[in-house]
Amino acid sequence: PLLAQMIPREILAAALRDGGFVIVMRHANSPRQPPDAASANPDNTRQERQLDEAGRRDAVAMGTALRRLRIPVNEVLSSPTYRALETARLLDFSAARPVDELGNEGMAAATEARTAWLRRQVSQRTPAGQNRLLITHGPNIAAAFPDHSAGMEEGEALIFDPRGMNGPVMIQRIRIGDWGGL
């Protein structure tokens, strides 16, 4: 299991401003059922699940908080699902790169290959002054980080420091609505 060494919330924003972290986020709130043609967003041409009003509001607020706190995010990788890419867009990261390994359509159990890939991602060092954001799904996070993800809600994130002496260390778990209070 990956180690955890929680840092206090009071210093989390300052630590993230210095960079070097990997943030693994579950997409923002999304209804379990895909929309019908009348309620689908105009760009959701495949009528995949999309964010609901709370998910859209929370993603915009998180993006605003990241900018206000001056937390640098140099790379955003996202599940190719509509709801994950919509989360990235509303965070104001329109240059998010879709990555199949972060996908999980149908909420199926994560494969061993996806689990191993995600665990390798939090082990990759991120340059000082930069952070990486990975937007994925609950089953992927639960399979890769079972000791840290119990009861994880949509929009919630695990923050990892890949620079631990024995590998990556989970330093904080934060709900999407809590970014504004940092």
Side-chain angles (χ1 to χ4, degrees):
L2 294 177
L3 299 174
Q5 184 175 342
M6 302 296 266
I7 65 170
R9 288 262 173 113
E10 298 80 44
I11 65 168
L12 181 59
L16 289 169
R17 264 193 299 280
D18 291 341
F21 299 96
V22 180
I23 303 165
V24 179
M25 177 184 182
R26 188 173 176 197
H27 63 78
N29 202 55
S30 171
R32 298 286 172 237
Q33 297 299 317
D36 58 23
S39 61
N41 292 343
D43 63 338
N44 187 359
T45 58
R46 293 181 18 199
Q47 293 181 6
E48 292 182 44
R49 286 177 54 195
Q50 60 190 31
L51 302 185
D52 61 16
E53 184 58 38
R56 289 188 295 273
R57 181 188 64 242
D58 288 345
V60 168
M62 179 182 166
T64 299
L66 290 172
R67 286 184 298 285
R68 178 183 54 78
L69 295 165
R70 298 180 326 277
I71 295 173
V73 177
N74 70 305
E75 181 180 35
V76 179
L77 304 179
S78 174
S79 160
T81 62
Y82 185 86
R83 62 192 176 276
L85 290 168
E86 184 179 18
T87 299
R89 181 178 52 79
L90 292 171
L91 288 169
D92 203 19
F93 296 123
S94 57
R97 184 166 49 101
V99 177
D100 287 338
E101 288 83 358
L102 291 171
N104 192 324
E105 197 52 60
M107 297 299 290
T111 65
E112 285 185 39
R114 284 187 179 178
T115 299
W117 185 90
L118 189 51
R119 288 175 71 92
R120 281 192 307 274
Q121 293 305 303
V122 301
S123 297
Q124 287 185 7
R125 296 221 176 206
T126 301
Q130 301 176 8
N131 297 293
R132 296 175 70 223
L133 173 63
L134 286 66
I135 303 171
T136 188
H137 305 273
N140 295 346
I141 296 170
F145 314 112
D147 294 340
H148 306 303
S149 61
M152 195 165 182
E153 299 174 3
E154 291 180 326
E156 202 166 354
L158 302 175
I159 303 171
F160 292 93
D161 186 345
R163 302 163 290 193
M165 291 186 67
N166 297 314
V169 177
M170 201 272 293
I171 62 159
Q172 191 59 257
R173 178 172 166 170
I174 185 166
R175 293 176 188 213
I176 194 167
D178 292 344
W179 287 94
L182 293 182

